[in-house]
Amino acid sequence: MSRCEGFDFVEDSFGRKIDYARVSLTDRCNLRCVYCMPETGVDKKECGEILRYEQIDEIIKALVALGIKKIRFTGGEPLVRAGAADFITQCIKKYNDIGFYITTNASFLGGYAKQFKEAGLKGVNISLDSLSLGNYKSITRGGDLYKALEGLHKAMECGLPKIKVNSVLIKGTPEGQLLEIANLTLNYPIDVRFIELMPIGSCAAFARENYMKPDILFDIMPGLKPVSPEDASSPAAYFKLPGAKGKIGLINPISCKFCHSCNRIRVTADGKIKHCLHSDEEFDLLNGGIREIILKAASLKPEGHNMEDRSITRDMKRIGG
Ligand code: SAM
Ligand code: SF4
């Protein structure tokens, strides 16, 4: 690991600049997506085991001092945590050089979209795997599609910037359902990103059994044309349908690794730094100086991930994507 002249950003030992942190506010969620957590026996952290907002603020302060330029709040579902919207709003106002984003299932976004827009949130990723009531309900094990769509529409109506829909590719998904999601880009200025199903935690076996190659998207949308990404460090390869307002992204961590351009670290709700999504190595922020622990984690960031032979033990809802 080397620190650069002027101490304004952290570089890992492979020369990658680390300037993006994903910060999980909670491991809890109102949904139970089939690829993210088990249906029952969900292991929840008690309140005392989750970072308090003051502790998260201390961590953000340290991240910012180390040159982090972009922070994405995630979960579990970030907006189920009491006070989350106000905390996010305060962070946006306090650290005004930093771009703040959220990733959410949008069930509660409708109530906060205006507040986030006024505060200056830079973008929102919304998880939406189906536009069919029944399929959405079964993938999320009980979720209400109308609430998610209300969140999406409120985000657009309030003018939140950079709205992206994230959709996980699951074997057996009807082509029509994939097209319906992709066609959102025809009518709205939003991006839709299809994500390869990754084997993670207790859902690893589900992911291995239900992996679907992204190639199908080119078969069902032969008109897709490649376009340049806005952000070179984006893990997505972007395409567009003819006449579309938004782009279609493919995030292929399995078939097309993007580790060489990985610029991120993750902070879990229980106070661990993860330097790589697919590594079990974690660094406890509550066990020493925050700045030193962040630097150590960055210095040990692996060159690339390997999820072919083994998967990590922590569930996705306890990381945040
Ligand atoms: N609850 C929020 C949401 O769903 O947007 C934030 C947390 S969720 C863990 C973040 C992202 O991870 C979602 O877009 C979700 O689809 C994705 N995800 C969860 N498990 C996954 C898996 N096994 N493979 C690929 N993506 C996954
Ligand atoms: Fe909840 Fe997001 Fe996981 Fe679905 S993907 S269960 S919404 S944390």
Side-chain angles (χ1 to χ4, degrees):
M1 199 274 311
S2 65
R3 299 279 311 287
C4 289
E5 282 293 299
F7 288 72
D8 64 351
F9 63 86
V10 177
E11 231 179 49
D12 72 7
S13 47
F14 301 95
R16 292 169 299 194
K17 181 174 163 183
I18 310 299
D19 59 5
Y20 173 22
R22 299 177 65 107
V23 177
S24 171
L25 295 181
T26 177
D27 64 341
R28 300 196 176 205
C29 186
N30 56 312
L31 304 183
R32 294 279 177 278
C33 299
V34 286
Y35 46 72
C36 180
M37 62 165 103
E39 184 166 18
T40 52
V42 178
D43 140 51
K44 285 187 209 138
K45 291 279 167 197
E46 295 306 321
C47 289
E49 298 173 287
I50 292 296
L51 294 172
R52 298 189 307 277
Y53 285 127
E54 307 87 77
Q55 292 173 304
I56 302 174
D57 183 53
E58 280 301 306
I59 294 166
I60 291 179
K61 202 190 294 169
L63 289 166
V64 170
L66 286 168
I68 292 291
K69 295 282 179 258
K70 171 173 174 181
I71 292 181
R72 176 177 298 282
F73 291 113
T74 178
E77 171 47 41
L79 299 179
V80 299
R81 180 164 175 178
D86 288 340
F87 177 72
I88 293 169
T89 301
Q90 282 158 22
C91 287
I92 299 171
K93 292 186 176 152
K94 181 167 173 185
Y95 302 100
N96 49 24
D97 287 345
I98 307 303
F100 283 97
Y101 298 75
I102 59 170
T103 294
T104 172
N105 61 38
S107 305
F108 306 105
L109 183 60
Y112 300 115
K114 188 161 178 276
Q115 175 177 343
F116 289 149
K117 165 67 182 165
E118 285 169 1
L121 190 76
K122 287 283 191 284
V124 55
N125 288 358
I126 293 176
S127 301
L128 195 56
D129 298 321
S130 174
L131 292 177
S132 131
L133 269 180
N135 289 349
Y136 181 84
K137 196 169 197 154
S138 91
I139 295 168
T140 57
R141 297 200 187 97
D144 178 352
L145 177 64
Y146 288 123
K147 283 179 80 180
L149 290 181
E150 185 199 348
L152 172 61
H153 283 283
K154 274 272 159 39
M156 290 193 283
E157 193 180 290
C158 295
L160 272 174
K162 294 205 175 159
I163 301 174
K164 295 178 185 164
V165 165
N166 285 344
S167 210
V168 175
L169 290 168
I170 306 173
K171 188 163 89 184
T173 304
E175 291 179 5
Q177 190 172 308
L178 297 170
L179 277 175
E180 246 182 346
I181 296 264
N183 286 347
L184 287 172
T185 66
L186 294 176
N187 300 322
Y188 304 106
I190 60 178
D191 293 346
V192 167
R193 288 136 30 111
F194 291 99
I195 306 175
E196 272 182 331
L197 184 54
M198 296 178 277
I200 291 192
S202 56
C203 297
F206 175 89
R208 293 193 197 282
E209 283 157 24
N210 291 283
Y211 174 78
M212 177 162 90
K213 278 191 173 178
D215 310 18
I216 186 175
L217 297 169
F218 296 100
D219 297 338
I220 63 173
M221 291 181 280
L224 278 180
K225 292 274 176 307
V227 290
S228 324
E230 279 161 41
D231 170 4
S233 66
S234 166
Y238 278 103
F239 302 84
K240 227 173 175 179
L241 285 168
K245 295 184 176 158
K247 299 190 285 300
I248 293 188
L250 301 189
I251 304 185
N252 298 340
I254 296 178
S255 58
C256 182
K257 284 199 207 176
F258 35 76
C259 304
H260 61 281
S261 61
C262 183
N263 62 341
R264 61 194 65 185
I265 51 174
R266 294 170 167 84
V267 178
T268 67
D270 58 346
K272 308 287 189 296
I273 292 259
K274 282 185 73 72
H275 52 20
C276 171
L277 176 58
H278 299 287
S279 164
D280 271 324
E281 195 169 26
E282 299 183 346
F283 302 82
D284 189 356
L285 285 161
L286 302 177
N287 194 14
I290 294 174
R291 177 187 176 85
E292 288 66 36
I293 292 163
I294 297 170
L295 286 170
K296 183 170 179 204
S299 75
L300 294 171
K301 189 172 165 70
E303 186 173 14
H305 64 233
N306 169 12
M307 55 181 132
E308 288 83 36
D309 313 327
R310 57 177 301 278
S311 42
I312 54 162
T313 50
R314 191 182 267 266
D315 280 349
M316 190 62 133
K317 58 117 191 170
R318 296 190 53 229
I319 304 172

